[in-house]
């Protein structure tokens, strides 16, 4: 199963993941990151940008998890814009090394295969950062997604569109379709790091980590991965049956292991 780390605050989680990325960047400056958007990974990106002086991040490569279909890439909430604003600029990455799936309707038929090819050509994702939706999605793999799925177009659930309405202006529609790395794509990454903060995520986290493997909880796919780390705050840990054990295991983990 995944290693579960319960932390006091999102900033602590951000610092832990930033440590791991810095360690990897020192070892291999061309490390390939899988980049989530949304609010959850922001503490990681902030912690990393605070450490820019210590390590050269300019040669890191990155693949975003997903993109809305048909949303102008220049729209402030397109994931291309979000990745540029929250990741590329603050971390000083080379924009040419960071890819986001192509959500343009004219190219959408081939965009999934092209993205899979680009990930393959980069040698695969080394460390994949993940958030989780209140309906248990990772990437935009909504309930019912195949564990073998690759990058493709999905229809967002009403719940996800409601959750994401906060990013859009009043009266503006949240796009109905997205292009997302599949669960099969995500499972190929070397190390999965799933983050979740706040009570609204508690049920989804417990179902993903401790519930049965089911396409109805897409994040339960992480149980199939040999190296998955789940970092949650106390509120998101609320429903975890194994919380006492997870705390004990983390408290006694050898320092050299990191996450
Ligand atoms: C975003 C993504 C989604 C989000 C999830 C949680 O690239 O893939 O799975 O991680 O919807 O969103 P936040 O973090 O905004 O709660």
């Amino acid at each position: 199963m995944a290693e579960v780390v319960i932390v006091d605050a999102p900033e602590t989680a951000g610092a832990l993941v930033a440590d791991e990325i810095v360690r990897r960047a020192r070892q291999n400056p061309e490390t390939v990151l899988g980049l989530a958007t949304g609010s959850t990974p922001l503490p990681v990106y902030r912690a990393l940008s605070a450490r820019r002086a210590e390590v050269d991040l300019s040669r890191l490569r990155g693949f975003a998890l997903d993109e809305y279909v048909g949303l102008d890439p220049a729209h402030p909430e397109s994931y291309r814009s979000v990745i540029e604003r929250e990741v590329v600029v603050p971390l000083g990455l080379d924009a040419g090394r960071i890819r986001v799936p192509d959500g343009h309707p004219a190219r959408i038929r081939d965009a999934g295969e092209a993205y899979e090819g680009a990930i393959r050509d980069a040698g695969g994702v080394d460390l994949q950062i993940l958030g989780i939706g209140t309906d248990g999605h990772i990437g935009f793999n909504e309930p019912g997604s195949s564990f073998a799925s690759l990058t493709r177009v999905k229809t967002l659930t009403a719940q996800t569109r409601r959750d994401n309405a906060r990013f859009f202006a009043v009266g503006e529609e949240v796009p109905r379709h997205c292009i997302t790395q599949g669960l099969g794509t995500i499972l190929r990454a070397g190390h999965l790091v799933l983050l979740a903060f706040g009570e609204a995520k508690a049920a989804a986290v417990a179902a993903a980590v401790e519930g049965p493997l089911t396409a109805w909880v897409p994040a339960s796919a992480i149980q199939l991965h040999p190296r998955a780390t789940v970092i949650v705050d106390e509120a998101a840990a609320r429903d975890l049956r194994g919380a006492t054990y997870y705390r004990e295991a983390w408290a006694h983990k050898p320092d050299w292991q990191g996450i």
Side-chain angles (χ1 to χ4, degrees):
M1 69 171 289
E3 172 176 39
V4 181
V5 184
I6 303 172
V7 294
D8 57 345
E11 292 68 31
T12 313
L16 279 175
V17 183
D19 273 349
E20 174 62 14
I21 295 173
V22 167
R23 187 190 68 76
R24 282 177 180 265
R26 284 197 179 117
Q27 228 168 49
N28 172 16
E30 301 210 342
T31 290
V32 182
L33 297 178
L35 302 164
T37 47
S39 48
T40 306
L42 295 179
V44 174
Y45 303 141
R46 289 202 187 109
L48 256 184
S49 91
R51 301 186 61 178
R52 266 177 72 177
E54 280 173 56
V55 59
D56 177 20
L57 302 174
S58 68
R59 287 165 60 204
L60 289 181
R61 292 170 300 166
F63 289 89
L65 272 172
D66 37 25
E67 177 60 292
Y68 294 110
V69 173
L71 189 65
D72 184 345
H75 187 290
E77 291 309 324
S78 79
Y79 285 165
R80 169 160 300 287
S81 298
V82 173
I83 289 282
E84 174 78 15
R85 186 171 69 236
E86 309 286 3
V87 188
V88 172
V89 173
L91 269 58
L93 305 184
D94 172 356
R97 292 169 182 256
I98 308 300
R99 289 209 37 172
V100 179
D102 183 357
H104 195 290
R107 293 184 294 272
I108 201 67
R109 280 173 179 234
D110 301 322
E113 220 174 292
Y115 206 61
E116 290 291 328
I119 296 175
R120 243 189 342 264
D121 292 348
V125 168
D126 297 309
L127 183 145
Q128 174 65 59
I129 301 166
L130 296 167
I132 183 170
T134 55
D135 65 0
H137 69 225
I138 49 175
F140 272 145
N141 294 283
E142 297 286 33
S145 295
S146 160
F147 283 4
S149 53
L150 302 178
T151 306
R152 74 224 181 282
V153 172
K154 285 293 287 182
T155 304
L156 295 173
T157 60
Q159 189 173 332
T160 299
R161 293 177 75 221
R162 266 195 309 275
D163 286 347
N164 286 10
R166 71 190 195 280
F167 294 116
F168 289 82
V170 181
E172 210 178 3
E173 287 268 310
V174 178
R176 191 172 289 279
H177 294 108
C178 63
I179 173 166
T180 179
Q181 286 190 32
L183 295 174
T185 319
I186 292 169
L187 288 174
R188 287 177 186 163
H191 183 184
L192 304 183
V193 179
L194 186 148
L195 303 160
F197 310 123
E199 216 177 340
K201 302 290 175 74
V205 167
V209 175
E210 296 176 340
L213 270 178
T214 167
W216 284 100
V217 181
S220 67
I222 67 168
Q223 295 180 37
L224 293 170
H225 198 281
R227 187 161 182 214
T229 308
V230 174
I231 311 182
V232 290
D233 66 1
E234 296 284 348
R238 185 196 62 194
D239 296 349
L240 289 171
R241 280 175 294 180
T244 306
Y245 171 69
Y246 307 143
R247 287 185 219 279
E248 193 183 323
W250 178 248
H252 297 283
K253 189 171 177 177
D255 281 346
W256 58 265
Q257 280 187 336
I259 57 168

